[in-house]
């Protein structure tokens, strides 16, 4: 994805997109295929998929507490992307609140295409629009799935993110 300028897609492609936010995302049937695919691609694919954890996410969204948000994207009727995030105090400063991007997943067959870049931009626009009225001071990205690490780094840096170190996983 070239994230230095807004990706361009045709009007006909844009019309094939359906983007849902917040409580409209809280349907297990919509999220399950993408969550399963993300799990298969992740470094944790050899571990059991945790359906109750996904159900908790869906229930948090249904609760509409204002602390959990989501974006879900379909292209031509097929699920292609989702993001799940929450609003919480920053570690070390309970007076400073941030939006923590728990999960962003764009399906592998479109991730590195102009359509994938366009979807990324739309997800980020939605997250910023959700975060700003809450007084969020910024977005913290959890990059813990092991999926497309170099590409994720490139996209985040191109969008102005500061690299703060990294997450590491050591098997026991």
């Amino acid at each position: 994805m070239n994230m230095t300028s807004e990706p361009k897609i045709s009007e006909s492609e844009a019309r094939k997109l359906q983007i849902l936010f917040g409580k409209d995302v809280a349907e297990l049937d919509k999220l399950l295929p993408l969550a399963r695919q993300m799990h298969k691609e992740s470094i944790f694919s050899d571990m059991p998929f945790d359906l109750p954890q996904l159900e908790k996410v869906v229930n948090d969204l249904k609760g509409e507490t204002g602390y959990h948000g989501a974006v879900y994207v379909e292209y031509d009727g097929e699920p292609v992307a989702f993001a799940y995030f929450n609003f919480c105090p920053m570690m070390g400063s309970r007076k400073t609140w941030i939006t923590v991007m728990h999960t962003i997943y764009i399906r592998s067959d479109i991730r590195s295409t102009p359509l994938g870049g366009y979807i990324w931009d739309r997800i980020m626009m939605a997250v910023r629009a959700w975060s700003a009225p809450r007084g969020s001071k910024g977005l913290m990205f959890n990059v813990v799935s092991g999926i497309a690490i170099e590409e994720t780094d490139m996209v985040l840096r191109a969008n102005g993110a500061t690299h703060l170190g990294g997450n590491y996983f050591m098997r026991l």
Side-chain angles (χ1 to χ4, degrees):
M1 280 183 265
N2 177 5
M3 302 276 71
T4 55
S5 62
E6 183 175 324
K8 305 286 188 236
I9 63 170
S10 69
E11 245 183 76
S12 64
E13 278 188 297
R15 281 194 298 269
K16 292 178 183 179
L17 284 172
Q18 179 182 18
I19 303 173
L20 301 175
F21 308 97
K23 193 172 184 176
D24 293 336
V25 177
E27 293 182 32
L28 187 61
D29 291 346
K30 287 184 185 290
L31 296 177
L32 189 55
L34 289 168
R36 285 193 186 281
Q37 183 59 39
M38 182 180 75
H39 182 74
K40 283 180 189 175
E41 284 184 58
S42 81
I43 191 173
F44 307 109
S45 63
D46 63 319
M47 298 175 188
F49 178 77
D50 191 357
L51 184 58
Q53 182 61 25
L54 183 60
E55 290 169 338
K56 182 190 177 316
V57 168
V58 169
N59 288 332
D60 287 343
L61 293 169
K62 285 180 182 177
E64 282 193 304
T65 62
Y67 293 96
H68 302 276
V71 179
Y72 168 82
V73 184
E74 285 184 356
Y75 178 75
D76 206 17
E78 294 291 320
V80 294
F82 77 100
Y84 171 66
F85 40 93
N86 63 331
F87 186 57
C88 62
M90 191 170 164
M91 187 178 214
S93 177
R94 286 188 283 161
K95 294 181 181 180
T96 304
W97 285 62
I98 61 173
T99 302
V100 176
M101 298 298 301
H102 182 277
T103 301
I104 299 177
Y105 178 73
I106 301 174
R107 225 173 53 194
S108 62
D109 59 322
I110 64 165
R111 189 179 297 140
S112 297
T113 69
L115 177 61
Y118 185 85
I119 289 169
W120 166 269
D121 280 353
R122 293 309 175 266
I123 289 172
M124 289 296 97
M125 287 170 57
V127 172
R128 286 183 178 108
W130 182 88
S131 299
R134 287 169 170 76
S136 178
K137 300 298 182 201
L139 306 177
M140 177 73 71
F141 293 83
N142 288 334
V143 183
V144 295
S145 67
I147 299 171
I149 295 293
E150 293 82 14
E151 187 176 30
T152 301
D153 179 68
M154 179 195 71
V155 168
L156 289 171
R157 287 177 193 257
N159 281 268
T162 300
H163 185 247
L164 300 176
N167 300 297
Y168 297 88
F169 183 75
M170 187 178 298
R171 299 232 179 211
L172 300 178

